[in-house]
Amino acid sequence: MREAGCRAKKFIKYGAVVLIVVYLCLCFLIHLSTRASSFTEGSYMLYYIVNADGMKGLGHSIIMIVDEKGCGTVLSYNGMQRTLWESLLGKSGIGKMSIGTMNVADTEAFLHTGNLHIDGDQLTDNYDYALYRSITAEDYNSILEQTVPYLDAEKQFAALYEEWAMEEDEGKKIEYEHNLEQMGQDDSLPVYQIYKNNCDHVARMLASSIDSELQNYTNSAWRMTPNGNFKSFGRRAQDWGVMTLGKQSPVERILMFLMIF
């Protein structure tokens, strides 16, 4: 019995070592190195950007589109109706599409340092890595048009929430609460769902409206985290450029290296 127990412990120990080695090999396989973009089709730019230690270490994704003058517009999507715990339990809700603009100097500073300073949800933070490519003026406008359903849903929710907050009749207040709950589960609206339609899904959906390779990846992506999807698509899309934004801390480097799912 004692020998069998020792063999079992050794098997578990060596099995764990093998799993760790395999995992680290996978991390090396999808590791990204900086490179230039080979796209030359327009004077506008698209950046798919990730904050490696955002969202408790899972990462937070945004996109930035830059016009021909060099002014950047940042698009960031996040949950608004649900708490983090409710989101982790799988509850859907109306999200917040934050859109912030910068002048040329601020856009250049952001790309150089990774520090974003715009009023809005997730628009004041430090970002770490970007995939980028040139786009056309038509592409630029097409991406902005994709935000309309998200903004419309947000406006509907805000108007209903205001009516709920101002209502003094208890019966009507309960009715408003029910309507708010139903809105967060309405499949006809682009609701936030942390496992199916989170910040990274939406960032890729907006950008894939003008990039067929990203669209194909988004339709078949299985990785759950922004960091994992960022690296997986970056390895696949060799025409996109890869750049770092500022200097990464040891924690950011480790998270970006180890997060592959």
Side-chain angles (χ1 to χ4, degrees):
M1 290 291 292
R2 185 174 297 178
E3 287 185 14
C6 289
R7 285 198 297 269
K9 288 181 179 179
K10 286 183 179 179
F11 179 80
I12 293 173
K13 178 181 178 181
Y14 292 138
V17 171
V18 169
L19 288 175
I20 291 172
V21 171
V22 170
Y23 186 85
L24 291 176
C25 288
L26 290 174
C27 291
F28 276 109
L29 282 175
I30 66 169
H31 175 69
L32 286 179
S33 299
T34 57
R35 63 174 184 251
S37 169
S38 61
F39 284 100
T40 58
E41 60 190 63
S43 56
Y44 292 67
M45 295 295 296
L46 165 64
Y47 295 84
Y48 169 28
I49 304 170
V50 70
N51 176 11
D53 59 344
M55 192 56 183
K56 310 300 182 182
L58 298 178
H60 178 72
S61 299
I62 62 174
I63 64 170
M64 180 172 73
I65 48 179
V66 180
D67 64 20
E68 80 284 7
K69 297 178 182 178
C71 298
T73 297
V74 179
L75 310 173
S76 174
Y77 186 67
N78 219 326
M80 176 176 67
Q81 186 177 1
R82 304 297 183 187
T83 65
L84 176 59
W85 178 245
E86 288 175 326
S87 295
L88 291 173
L89 289 176
K91 288 190 174 184
S92 60
I94 301 299
K96 172 72 174 177
M97 177 66 74
S98 297
I99 302 178
T101 58
M102 296 180 287
N103 59 30
V104 175
D106 289 340
T107 302
E108 291 177 349
F110 171 52
L111 291 173
H112 180 68
T113 66
N115 295 322
L116 189 60
H117 301 286
I118 307 176
D119 291 336
D121 191 30
Q122 299 289 336
L123 295 185
T124 296
D125 215 327
N126 175 262
Y127 288 82
D128 304 297
Y129 301 89
L131 295 169
Y132 67 94
R133 55 159 295 182
S134 61
I135 59 175
T136 65
E138 291 75 15
D139 294 335
Y140 180 96
N141 292 324
S142 176
I143 291 172
L144 285 178
E145 288 173 3
Q146 305 306 309
T147 66
V148 172
Y150 297 93
L151 296 173
D152 286 347
E154 184 183 330
K155 288 178 181 177
Q156 292 178 44
F157 180 85
L160 188 59
Y161 185 86
E162 185 177 358
E163 291 180 1
W164 169 84
M166 296 179 64
E167 183 58 61
E168 296 181 357
D169 183 272
E170 198 61 33
K172 290 185 178 180
K173 205 171 185 71
I174 292 174
E175 184 178 344
Y176 280 131
E177 289 176 358
H178 175 73
N179 291 338
L180 287 168
E181 182 69 23
Q182 289 297 109
M183 185 177 289
Q185 301 175 44
D186 189 343
D187 291 336
S188 68
L189 298 176
V191 295
Y192 179 93
Q193 212 281 348
I194 198 169
Y195 302 113
K196 297 179 181 179
N197 199 48
N198 60 33
C199 64
D200 185 62
H201 290 104
V202 172
R204 285 186 281 112
M205 286 296 293
L206 295 175
S208 66
S209 64
I210 59 89
D211 187 281
S212 59
E213 191 167 15
L214 182 54
Q215 185 177 54
N216 291 335
Y217 174 82
T218 297
N219 290 337
S220 62
W222 59 267
R223 288 174 169 80
M224 295 179 62
T225 66
N227 292 342
N229 278 308
F230 179 89
K231 292 193 296 181
S232 180
F233 175 67
R235 289 287 294 180
R236 187 178 303 190
Q238 291 295 313
D239 290 333
W240 285 63
V242 181
M243 64 183 292
T244 57
L245 308 181
K247 294 182 179 180
Q248 285 68 53
S249 69
V251 172
E252 290 168 339
R253 291 176 183 271
I254 291 171
L255 283 171
M256 197 62 180
F257 177 73
L258 292 178
M259 198 65 67
I260 62 175
F261 296 116

